[in-house]
Coordinates of all heavy atoms in Angstrom, one line a residue:
M1 N -77.1 44.6 211.6 CA -78.3 45.1 210.8 C -78.5 44.0 209.7 O -77.7 43.6 209.0 CB -77.9 46.4 210.1 CG -78.9 46.9 209.1 SD -78.5 48.6 208.6 CE -80.0 49.4 209.1
P2 N -79.9 43.7 209.5 CA -80.1 42.7 208.6 C -79.8 43.1 207.1 O -80.0 44.3 206.7 CB -81.7 42.5 208.6 CG -82.0 43.1 210.0 CD -80.9 44.0 210.3
G3 N -79.2 42.2 206.3 CA -78.9 42.6 204.9 C -77.5 43.2 204.7 O -77.1 43.5 203.7
S4 N -76.9 43.6 205.8 CA -75.7 44.2 205.7 C -74.5 43.2 205.6 O -74.5 42.1 205.9 CB -75.4 45.1 206.9 OG -75.2 44.3 208.1
L5 N -73.4 43.7 204.9 CA -72.2 43.0 204.7 C -71.2 42.9 205.9 O -71.3 43.9 206.8 CB -71.4 43.5 203.4 CG -72.2 43.5 202.2 CD1 -71.4 44.3 201.2 CD2 -72.2 42.1 201.6
P6 N -70.3 41.9 206.0 CA -69.3 42.0 207.0 C -68.5 43.3 206.8 O -68.3 43.7 205.6 CB -68.5 40.7 206.8 CG -69.4 39.7 206.1 CD -70.4 40.7 205.3
R7 N -68.0 44.0 207.8 CA -67.3 45.2 207.6 C -66.1 45.1 206.6 O -65.9 45.9 205.8 CB -66.7 45.6 208.9 CG -67.8 46.2 209.9 CD -67.2 46.7 211.1 NE -68.1 47.1 212.1 CZ -68.8 48.3 212.1 NH1 -68.6 49.2 211.2 NH2 -69.8 48.6 213.0
E8 N -65.4 43.9 206.6 CA -64.2 43.8 205.7 C -64.7 43.7 204.2 O -63.8 43.8 203.4 CB -63.4 42.7 206.2 CG -64.1 41.3 206.0 CD -64.9 40.9 207.3 OE1 -65.0 41.7 208.3 OE2 -65.3 39.8 207.3
Q9 N -65.9 43.5 203.9 CA -66.4 43.4 202.6 C -67.0 44.7 202.0 O -67.3 44.7 200.8 CB -67.3 42.2 202.3 CG -66.9 40.9 202.7 CD -67.8 39.8 202.6 OE1 -68.9 40.0 202.1 NE2 -67.6 38.6 203.1
R10 N -67.2 45.7 202.8 CA -67.9 46.8 202.4 C -67.2 47.7 201.3 O -67.7 48.0 200.3 CB -68.2 47.7 203.6 CG -69.2 47.1 204.5 CD -69.6 47.9 205.7 NE -70.6 47.3 206.5 CZ -71.1 47.6 207.6 NH1 -70.4 48.6 208.2 NH2 -71.9 47.1 208.2
V11 N -65.8 47.9 201.5 CA -65.1 48.7 200.5 C -65.1 48.0 199.2 O -65.3 48.6 198.1 CB -63.7 49.0 200.9 CG1 -62.8 49.6 199.9 CG2 -63.7 50.0 202.2
A12 N -65.0 46.7 199.2 CA -65.0 45.9 197.8 C -66.4 46.0 197.3 O -66.5 46.2 196.0 CB -64.6 44.5 198.1
A13 N -67.5 46.0 198.0 CA -68.8 46.1 197.5 C -69.1 47.5 196.9 O -69.6 47.7 195.8 CB -69.9 45.8 198.5
I14 N -68.5 48.5 197.6 CA -68.7 50.0 197.2 C -67.9 50.1 195.8 O -68.4 50.7 194.8 CB -68.2 50.9 198.1 CG1 -69.1 50.9 199.4 CG2 -68.0 52.3 197.6 CD1 -68.7 51.6 200.6
R15 N -66.7 49.6 195.8 CA -65.9 49.6 194.6 C -66.6 49.0 193.3 O -66.7 49.5 192.3 CB -64.4 49.0 194.8 CG -63.6 49.0 193.7 CD -62.2 48.6 193.9 NE -61.6 49.3 195.0 CZ -61.0 50.5 194.8 NH1 -61.1 51.2 193.7 NH2 -60.6 51.1 195.8
A16 N -67.1 47.7 193.6 CA -67.8 47.1 192.5 C -68.9 47.7 191.9 O -69.1 47.9 190.7 CB -68.1 45.7 193.1
A17 N -69.7 48.3 192.8 CA -71.0 49.1 192.4 C -70.6 50.3 191.7 O -71.2 50.6 190.6 CB -71.8 49.4 193.7
L18 N -69.6 51.1 192.1 CA -69.3 52.3 191.4 C -68.6 52.0 190.0 O -68.7 52.7 189.0 CB -68.3 53.2 192.3 CG -69.1 53.6 193.5 CD1 -68.1 54.5 194.4 CD2 -70.2 54.6 193.2
E19 N -67.7 51.0 190.0 CA -67.0 50.6 188.8 C -68.0 50.2 187.7 O -67.9 50.5 186.6 CB -66.0 49.5 189.0 CG -64.8 50.1 189.7 CD -63.7 49.0 190.1 OE1 -64.1 47.8 190.0 OE2 -62.5 49.5 190.4
A20 N -69.0 49.3 188.1 CA -70.0 48.9 187.2 C -70.9 50.0 186.6 O -71.2 50.0 185.4 CB -70.9 47.8 187.9
A21 N -71.2 51.0 187.5 CA -72.2 52.0 187.1 C -71.4 53.3 186.3 O -72.0 53.8 185.4 CB -72.9 52.6 188.2
L22 N -70.2 53.6 186.8 CA -69.7 54.8 186.3 C -68.3 54.6 185.5 O -67.7 55.6 185.1 CB -69.4 55.6 187.6 CG -70.5 56.0 188.3 CD1 -70.2 56.8 189.6 CD2 -71.5 56.9 187.5
A23 N -67.8 53.4 185.4 CA -66.6 53.1 184.7 C -65.5 54.2 185.1 O -65.0 54.9 184.2 CB -66.7 53.0 183.2
P24 N -65.2 54.4 186.3 CA -64.3 55.5 186.7 C -62.8 55.3 186.2 O -62.4 54.2 186.0 CB -64.3 55.5 188.2 CG -64.6 54.1 188.6 CD -65.6 53.5 187.4
R25 N -62.3 56.4 185.8 CA -60.8 56.4 185.5 C -60.0 56.2 186.8 O -58.8 55.7 186.7 CB -60.5 57.6 184.7 CG -60.9 57.6 183.4 CD -60.1 58.6 182.5 NE -60.7 58.7 181.1 CZ -60.3 59.6 180.3 NH1 -59.5 60.5 180.6 NH2 -60.9 59.7 179.1
S26 N -60.5 56.9 187.8 CA -59.9 56.8 189.1 C -60.9 56.6 190.2 O -62.0 57.3 190.0 CB -59.0 58.0 189.3 OG -58.5 58.1 190.6
L27 N -60.6 55.8 191.2 CA -61.6 55.5 192.3 C -60.8 55.3 193.6 O -60.0 54.3 193.7 CB -62.5 54.5 191.9 CG -63.5 54.0 193.0 CD1 -64.4 55.1 193.5 CD2 -64.3 52.8 192.6
E28 N -61.0 56.1 194.5 CA -60.3 56.0 195.9 C -61.5 55.9 196.9 O -62.4 56.6 196.8 CB -59.5 57.1 196.2 CG -58.2 57.2 195.4 CD -57.4 58.4 195.7 OE1 -57.5 58.9 196.9 OE2 -56.8 59.0 194.9
I29 N -61.4 54.9 197.7 CA -62.4 54.6 198.8 C -61.7 54.6 200.1 O -60.8 53.8 200.2 CB -63.2 53.4 198.5 CG1 -63.9 53.5 197.1 CG2 -64.3 53.2 199.6 CD1 -64.4 52.2 196.6
E30 N -62.3 55.3 201.1 CA -61.6 55.1 202.5 C -62.7 54.9 203.5 O -63.7 55.6 203.4 CB -60.9 56.5 202.9 CG -60.1 56.3 204.1 CD -59.4 57.6 204.6 OE1 -59.2 58.5 203.7 OE2 -59.0 57.7 205.7
D31 N -62.4 53.8 204.2 CA -63.4 53.5 205.3 C -63.0 54.4 206.4 O -61.9 54.2 207.1 CB -63.3 52.1 205.7 CG -64.3 51.7 206.8 OD1 -64.9 52.5 207.4 OD2 -64.5 50.4 206.9
E32 N -63.8 55.4 206.8 CA -63.5 56.3 208.0 C -64.3 56.0 209.2 O -64.4 56.8 210.1 CB -63.8 57.7 207.5 CG -62.9 58.2 206.4 CD -63.2 59.6 205.9 OE1 -64.3 60.2 206.1 OE2 -62.3 60.3 205.3
S33 N -64.8 54.8 209.3 CA -65.6 54.4 210.3 C -65.1 54.5 211.7 O -65.7 54.9 212.7 CB -66.3 52.9 210.1 OG -67.1 52.8 208.9
H34 N -63.8 54.1 211.7 CA -63.1 54.2 212.9 C -62.9 55.7 213.6 O -62.9 55.8 214.8 CB -61.6 53.7 212.8 CG -60.8 54.6 211.9 ND1 -60.9 54.5 210.5 CD2 -59.9 55.5 212.1 CE1 -60.1 55.4 209.9 NE2 -59.4 56.0 211.0
R35 N -63.1 56.6 212.8 CA -63.1 58.0 213.2 C -64.4 58.4 213.9 O -64.6 59.4 214.6 CB -62.9 59.0 212.1 CG -61.6 58.8 211.5 CD -61.3 59.9 210.5 NE -60.0 59.7 209.9 CZ -59.7 60.2 208.6 NH1 -60.6 61.1 208.0 NH2 -58.6 59.9 208.0
H36 N -65.5 57.5 213.7 CA -66.8 57.8 214.2 C -67.3 56.9 215.3 O -68.4 56.7 215.6 CB -67.8 57.9 213.1 CG -67.4 58.9 212.0 ND1 -67.8 60.2 212.1 CD2 -66.7 58.7 210.9 CE1 -67.2 60.9 211.1 NE2 -66.5 59.9 210.4
A37 N -66.4 56.2 215.9 CA -66.7 55.1 216.9 C -67.4 55.8 218.1 O -67.0 56.9 218.5 CB -65.5 54.4 217.4
G38 N -68.5 55.4 218.5 CA -69.2 56.0 219.6 C -70.3 57.0 219.1 O -71.0 57.6 219.9
H39 N -70.1 57.4 217.9 CA -71.1 58.4 217.3 C -72.4 57.9 217.2 O -72.6 56.7 216.8 CB -70.6 58.8 215.9 CG -71.4 59.7 215.1 ND1 -72.4 59.3 214.2 CD2 -71.4 61.1 215.1 CE1 -72.9 60.3 213.7 NE2 -72.4 61.4 214.2
A40 N -73.5 58.6 217.6 CA -74.8 58.1 217.7 C -75.3 57.5 216.4 O -76.0 56.6 216.3 CB -75.7 59.2 218.2
G41 N -74.9 58.2 215.2 CA -75.4 57.8 213.9 C -74.7 56.5 213.5 O -75.2 55.8 212.6
A42 N -73.6 56.0 214.1 CA -72.9 54.8 213.9 C -73.4 53.6 214.7 O -73.1 52.5 214.5 CB -71.5 55.0 214.0
A43 N -74.4 53.9 215.5 CA -74.9 52.8 216.5 C -75.6 51.7 215.7 O -75.6 50.6 216.2 CB -75.9 53.4 217.4
D44 N -76.1 51.9 214.5 CA -76.8 50.9 213.8 C -75.8 50.0 213.0 O -76.2 49.0 212.4 CB -77.8 51.4 212.8 CG -77.2 52.3 211.7 OD1 -75.9 52.4 211.6 OD2 -77.9 52.9 210.9
G45 N -74.5 50.2 213.1 CA -73.5 49.4 212.5 C -73.1 49.7 211.1 O -72.1 49.2 210.5
R46 N -73.8 50.7 210.5 CA -73.4 51.0 209.2 C -72.1 51.9 209.2 O -71.8 52.5 210.3 CB -74.5 51.8 208.5 CG -75.8 50.9 208.2 CD -76.8 51.6 207.5 NE -77.3 52.7 208.3 CZ -78.0 53.8 207.8 NH1 -78.1 53.9 206.5 NH2 -78.4 54.8 208.6
G47 N -71.4 52.1 208.1 CA -70.1 52.7 208.1 C -70.1 54.1 207.5 O -71.0 54.5 206.8
H48 N -68.9 54.8 207.8 CA -68.7 56.0 207.2 C -67.6 55.9 206.2 O -66.6 55.4 206.5 CB -68.2 57.0 208.3 CG -69.3 57.4 209.3 ND1 -69.7 56.4 210.2 CD2 -69.8 58.6 209.6 CE1 -70.6 57.2 211.1 NE2 -70.7 58.4 210.6
F49 N -67.8 56.4 205.0 CA -66.8 56.3 203.9 C -66.7 57.6 203.2 O -67.5 58.5 203.1 CB -67.4 55.2 202.9 CG -67.6 53.9 203.5 CD1 -68.8 53.6 204.1 CD2 -66.6 53.0 203.5 CE1 -68.9 52.3 204.7 CE2 -66.7 51.7 204.1 CZ -68.0 51.3 204.7
R50 N -65.5 57.6 202.5 CA -65.1 58.8 201.7 C -64.9 58.2 200.4 O -64.0 57.2 200.3 CB -63.8 59.5 202.2 CG -63.5 60.7 201.4 CD -62.0 61.3 201.8 NE -61.1 60.3 201.7 CZ -60.4 59.8 200.6 NH1 -60.9 60.2 199.4 NH2 -59.5 58.9 200.6
V51 N -65.3 58.7 199.2 CA -65.0 58.3 197.8 C -64.6 59.5 197.1 O -65.0 60.7 197.2 CB -66.2 57.6 197.2 CG1 -66.6 56.3 197.9 CG2 -67.5 58.6 197.0
D52 N -63.6 59.2 196.2 CA -63.1 60.2 195.2 C -63.2 59.6 193.9 O -62.5 58.6 193.6 CB -61.6 60.5 195.6 CG -61.1 61.7 194.7 OD1 -61.6 62.0 193.7 OD2 -60.1 62.3 195.1
V53 N -64.1 60.1 193.1 CA -64.4 59.4 191.8 C -64.1 60.2 190.7 O -64.6 61.4 190.7 CB -66.0 58.9 191.8 CG1 -66.2 58.1 190.5 CG2 -66.4 58.2 193.1
V54 N -63.3 59.8 189.7 CA -63.1 60.6 188.4 C -63.7 59.7 187.3 O -63.3 58.5 187.1 CB -61.6 60.7 188.2 CG1 -61.4 61.5 186.9 CG2 -61.0 61.6 189.4
S55 N -64.8 60.2 186.7 CA -65.5 59.5 185.7 C -65.9 60.5 184.5 O -66.4 61.5 184.8 CB -66.6 58.7 186.2 OG -67.4 58.1 185.3
E56 N -65.9 60.0 183.3 CA -66.4 60.7 182.2 C -68.0 60.8 182.3 O -68.6 61.7 181.7 CB -66.1 60.0 180.9 CG -64.6 60.1 180.5 CD -64.2 59.4 179.3 OE1 -65.0 58.8 178.7 OE2 -63.0 59.4 178.9
A57 N -68.5 59.9 183.1 CA -70.0 59.8 183.3 C -70.4 61.2 183.9 O -71.7 61.6 183.9 CB -70.4 58.8 184.2
F58 N -69.5 61.9 184.6 CA -70.0 63.2 185.2 C -69.9 64.4 184.2 O -70.3 65.5 184.6 CB -69.0 63.5 186.4 CG -69.1 62.4 187.5 CD1 -67.9 62.0 188.1 CD2 -70.3 61.9 187.8 CE1 -68.0 61.1 189.1 CE2 -70.2 60.9 188.8 CZ -69.1 60.5 189.4
E59 N -69.4 64.3 183.0 CA -69.5 65.3 182.0 C -70.9 65.9 182.0 O -71.8 65.2 181.7 CB -69.0 64.9 180.7 CG -67.5 64.6 180.5 CD -66.7 65.9 180.6 OE1 -67.2 67.0 180.4 OE2 -65.4 65.7 180.9
G60 N -71.0 67.2 182.0 CA -72.2 67.9 181.8 C -73.2 67.9 183.0 O -74.3 68.4 183.0
L61 N -72.8 67.2 184.1 CA -73.6 67.1 185.3 C -73.1 68.0 186.4 O -71.9 68.3 186.6 CB -73.5 65.7 185.8 CG -74.1 64.6 185.0 CD1 -73.9 63.2 185.8 CD2 -75.5 64.8 184.5
G62 N -74.0 68.7 187.0 CA -73.7 69.5 188.2 C -73.4 68.6 189.5 O -73.6 67.4 189.4
P63 N -73.1 69.3 190.4 CA -72.6 68.5 191.8 C -73.8 67.6 192.2 O -73.5 66.5 192.6 CB -72.3 69.6 192.7 CG -71.9 70.8 191.9 CD -72.7 70.7 190.6
I64 N -74.9 68.2 192.3 CA -76.0 67.4 192.9 C -76.3 66.1 192.0 O -76.6 65.1 192.5 CB -77.3 68.3 193.0 CG1 -77.1 69.2 194.1 CG2 -78.6 67.3 193.3 CD1 -78.3 70.3 194.3
A65 N -76.3 66.3 190.7 CA -76.6 65.2 189.7 C -75.5 64.2 189.9 O -75.7 62.9 189.8 CB -76.7 65.6 188.2
R66 N -74.2 64.5 190.1 CA -73.2 63.6 190.3 C -73.3 62.8 191.5 O -73.1 61.6 191.5 CB -71.8 64.4 190.4 CG -71.4 65.1 189.0 CD -70.2 65.9 189.2 NE -70.0 66.5 187.9 CZ -68.8 67.3 187.6 NH1 -67.7 67.2 188.4 NH2 -68.7 67.8 186.5
H67 N -73.8 63.5 192.7 CA -73.9 62.8 193.9 C -75.0 61.8 193.7 O -75.1 60.7 194.2 CB -74.3 63.8 195.0 CG -73.0 64.5 195.5 ND1 -72.8 64.8 196.8 CD2 -71.9 64.9 194.8 CE1 -71.6 65.4 196.9 NE2 -71.1 65.6 195.7
R68 N -76.2 62.2 193.0 CA -77.2 61.3 192.8 C -76.8 60.0 192.0 O -77.3 59.0 192.2 CB -78.3 62.1 192.1 CG -79.2 62.9 192.9 CD -80.3 63.6 192.2 NE -81.0 64.5 193.1 CZ -81.7 65.5 192.8 NH1 -81.7 65.9 191.5 NH2 -82.3 66.3 193.6
A69 N -76.0 60.2 191.0 CA -75.5 59.1 190.2 C -74.6 58.2 191.1 O -74.8 56.9 191.0 CB -74.6 59.6 189.1
I70 N -73.9 58.7 192.0 CA -73.1 57.8 193.0 C -74.1 57.1 194.0 O -74.0 55.9 194.1 CB -72.0 58.6 193.7 CG1 -71.0 59.1 192.7 CG2 -71.6 57.9 194.9 CD1 -70.0 60.1 193.4
Y71 N -75.2 57.7 194.5 CA -76.1 57.2 195.5 C -76.8 56.0 194.6 O -77.1 55.1 195.2 CB -77.1 58.2 195.9 CG -76.4 59.2 196.9 CD1 -76.7 60.5 196.8 CD2 -75.6 58.9 198.0 CE1 -76.2 61.5 197.8 CE2 -75.0 59.6 199.0 CZ -75.3 61.0 198.8 OH -74.7 61.8 199.7
G72 N -77.2 56.4 193.4 CA -77.9 55.4 192.6 C -77.1 54.2 192.3 O -77.7 53.0 192.4
A73 N -75.9 54.3 192.1 CA -74.9 53.2 191.8 C -74.8 52.3 193.0 O -74.8 51.2 193.0 CB -73.5 53.7 191.4
L74 N -74.8 53.0 194.2 CA -74.6 52.3 195.6 C -75.9 51.6 195.9 O -75.9 50.7 196.8 CB -74.1 53.1 196.6 CG -72.6 53.7 196.3 CD1 -72.3 54.8 197.3 CD2 -71.7 52.6 196.3
G75 N -77.1 52.0 195.5 CA -78.4 51.4 195.7 C -78.6 51.0 197.1 O -78.5 51.8 198.0
D76 N -78.8 49.7 197.4 CA -79.2 49.2 198.7 C -78.1 49.4 199.8 O -78.3 49.4 200.9 CB -79.6 47.8 198.7 CG -81.0 47.7 198.0 OD1 -81.8 48.7 198.1 OD2 -81.4 46.5 197.6
L77 N -76.8 49.5 199.2 CA -75.7 49.7 200.2 C -76.0 51.0 201.1 O -75.4 51.0 202.3 CB -74.3 49.9 199.5 CG -73.8 48.5 198.9 CD1 -72.7 48.8 197.9 CD2 -73.6 47.5 199.9
M78 N -76.6 51.9 200.5 CA -76.9 53.1 201.3 C -77.8 52.9 202.4 O -77.8 53.6 203.4 CB -77.6 54.2 200.4 CG -76.5 54.8 199.4 SD -75.0 55.6 200.0 CE -75.7 56.9 201.2
N79 N -78.7 51.9 202.3 CA -79.6 51.5 203.4 C -79.1 50.5 204.4 O -79.4 50.5 205.6 CB -80.9 51.0 202.8 CG -81.6 52.1 202.0 OD1 -81.6 53.2 202.4 ND2 -82.2 51.6 200.9
T80 N -78.2 49.6 203.9 CA -77.7 48.5 204.7 C -76.3 48.6 205.2 O -76.0 48.0 206.4 CB -77.7 47.2 203.8 OG1 -77.0 47.3 202.8 CG2 -79.2 46.8 203.5
D81 N -75.4 49.3 204.5 CA -74.0 49.4 204.9 C -73.4 50.7 205.1 O -72.4 50.8 205.8 CB -73.2 48.5 204.0 CG -73.6 47.0 203.9 OD1 -73.0 46.4 204.9 OD2 -74.3 46.6 203.1
I82 N -73.9 51.8 204.6 CA -73.3 53.0 204.5 C -74.2 54.0 205.3 O -75.4 54.3 205.0 CB -73.2 53.7 203.1 CG1 -72.3 52.7 202.3 CG2 -72.7 55.0 203.1 CD1 -72.2 53.0 200.9
H83 N -73.7 54.6 206.4 CA -74.3 55.6 207.2 C -74.1 57.0 206.6 O -74.9 57.8 206.6 CB -73.9 55.4 208.7 CG -74.4 56.6 209.5 ND1 -75.9 56.8 209.8 CD2 -73.8 57.8 210.0 CE1 -75.9 57.9 210.5 NE2 -74.8 58.6 210.7
A84 N -72.9 57.3 206.3 CA -72.4 58.5 205.9 C -71.4 58.4 204.7 O -70.6 57.4 204.8 CB -71.7 59.4 207.0
L85 N -71.5 59.2 203.7 CA -70.7 59.2 202.5 C -70.2 60.6 202.2 O -71.0 61.5 201.9 CB -71.5 58.6 201.4 CG -70.7 58.2 200.2 CD1 -69.7 57.2 200.4 CD2 -71.7 57.9 199.0
S86 N -68.9 60.8 202.2 CA -68.2 62.0 201.6 C -67.9 61.8 200.3 O -67.2 60.8 200.0 CB -67.0 62.3 202.6 OG -66.3 63.4 202.0
I87 N -68.3 62.7 199.5 CA -68.1 62.5 197.9 C -67.2 63.6 197.3 O -67.6 64.7 197.5 CB -69.5 62.4 197.2 CG1 -70.2 61.2 197.7 CG2 -69.3 62.4 195.6 CD1 -71.7 61.2 197.3
R88 N -66.3 63.1 196.5 CA -65.6 64.1 195.6 C -65.8 63.4 194.1 O -65.4 62.4 194.0 CB -64.1 64.2 196.0 CG -63.5 65.2 195.1 CD -62.0 65.4 195.5 NE -61.3 66.4 194.7 CZ -60.0 66.6 194.7 NH1 -59.3 65.8 195.4 NH2 -59.6 67.6 194.1
A89 N -66.6 64.2 193.3 CA -66.9 63.6 192.0 C -66.4 64.5 191.0 O -66.9 65.7 190.9 CB -68.4 63.3 191.9
R90 N -65.5 64.1 190.1 CA -64.9 65.0 189.1 C -64.8 64.3 187.8 O -64.8 63.0 187.6 CB -63.4 65.4 189.5 CG -63.4 66.1 190.8 CD -62.0 66.3 191.2 NE -61.4 65.0 191.6 CZ -60.0 64.8 191.7 NH1 -59.2 65.8 191.3 NH2 -59.6 63.7 192.1
T91 N -64.8 65.0 186.6 CA -64.5 64.6 185.4 C -63.0 64.4 185.2 O -62.2 65.0 186.0 CB -65.0 65.5 184.4 OG1 -64.3 66.8 184.3 CG2 -66.5 65.9 184.4
P92 N -62.6 63.6 184.2 CA -61.1 63.6 184.1 C -60.5 65.0 183.7 O -59.3 65.2 184.2 CB -61.0 62.6 182.7 CG -62.3 61.8 182.8 CD -63.3 62.8 183.4
R93 N -61.1 65.8 183.0 CA -60.6 67.1 182.7 C -60.4 68.0 184.0 O -59.4 68.6 184.2 CB -61.6 67.9 181.8 CG -60.9 69.2 181.3 CD -61.9 69.8 180.2 NE -63.3 69.5 180.4 CZ -64.2 70.3 181.0 NH1 -63.8 71.5 181.5 NH2 -65.4 70.0 181.0
E94 N -61.4 67.8 185.0 CA -61.3 68.5 186.2 C -60.1 67.9 187.0 O -59.4 68.7 187.7 CB -62.7 68.4 187.0 CG -63.8 69.2 186.4 CD -65.2 68.9 186.8 OE1 -65.2 67.8 187.5 OE2 -66.0 69.7 186.6
A95 N -60.0 66.7 187.0 CA -58.9 66.0 187.9 C -57.6 66.4 187.4 O -56.6 66.4 188.0 CB -59.2 64.5 187.8
A96 N -57.5 66.6 186.0 CA -56.1 66.9 185.4 C -55.8 68.4 185.7 O -54.5 68.7 185.7 CB -56.2 66.8 183.9
S97 N -56.7 69.2 186.0 CA -56.3 70.6 186.2 C -56.0 71.1 187.6 O -56.1 70.3 188.5 CB -57.4 71.5 185.6 OG -58.6 71.3 186.4

C-alpha cells in the first residue's frame, strides 16, 4: 500500500505517535496481524493492533472521546498502516483500581 511503513516499523510508529500526543504513563502495543492472516480485511496489507493506554489526558473524557483522541494521535497511520485497532484507554486512577 502506498505510504505504508514496513511491518517491522509499525509498532514503533504507533508508540511514537501516542507518546507524543498523550504522554502516557503506561503504553502496551501488540501487533495481532498474525491472527488475521487470510482475513479479507487484511488483504490490503494494513495490520491489526491492540493498544492499552494509561494517560492523564483521558481525565474527564468518556470512552468515545478517548478513542477519538487515540485515532487523532495516530493520524495517517489509520489510513496507511492500521486496518483494525482494539483500544483500552484508562486514566491512571482507573488503572490503579
Side-chain angles (χ1 to χ4, degrees):
M1 171 172 242
S4 65
L5 295 169
R7 288 186 188 275
E8 63 274 5
Q9 293 179 14
R10 290 178 178 171
V11 169
I14 292 168
R15 179 174 304 284
L18 294 176
E19 286 178 345
L22 301 172
R25 288 205 184 165
S26 172
L27 175 59
E28 294 178 26
I29 304 166
E30 183 178 350
D31 184 346
E32 298 181 333
S33 300
H34 64 282
R35 296 182 185 168
H36 302 275
H39 177 263
D44 64 4
R46 295 182 297 156
H48 291 68
F49 299 90
R50 180 192 57 78
V51 296
D52 186 343
V53 186
V54 177
S55 175
E56 292 176 357
F58 299 139
E59 284 291 342
L61 299 180
I64 293 174
R66 293 176 187 195
H67 286 217
R68 285 182 179 148
I70 289 171
Y71 291 135
L74 295 173
D76 286 340
L77 289 170
M78 291 301 302
N79 296 320
T80 59
D81 294 281
I82 301 170
H83 170 74
L85 185 64
S86 173
I87 298 172
R88 184 175 186 197
R90 300 173 291 160
T91 65
R93 186 171 34 94
E94 292 167 340
S97 59

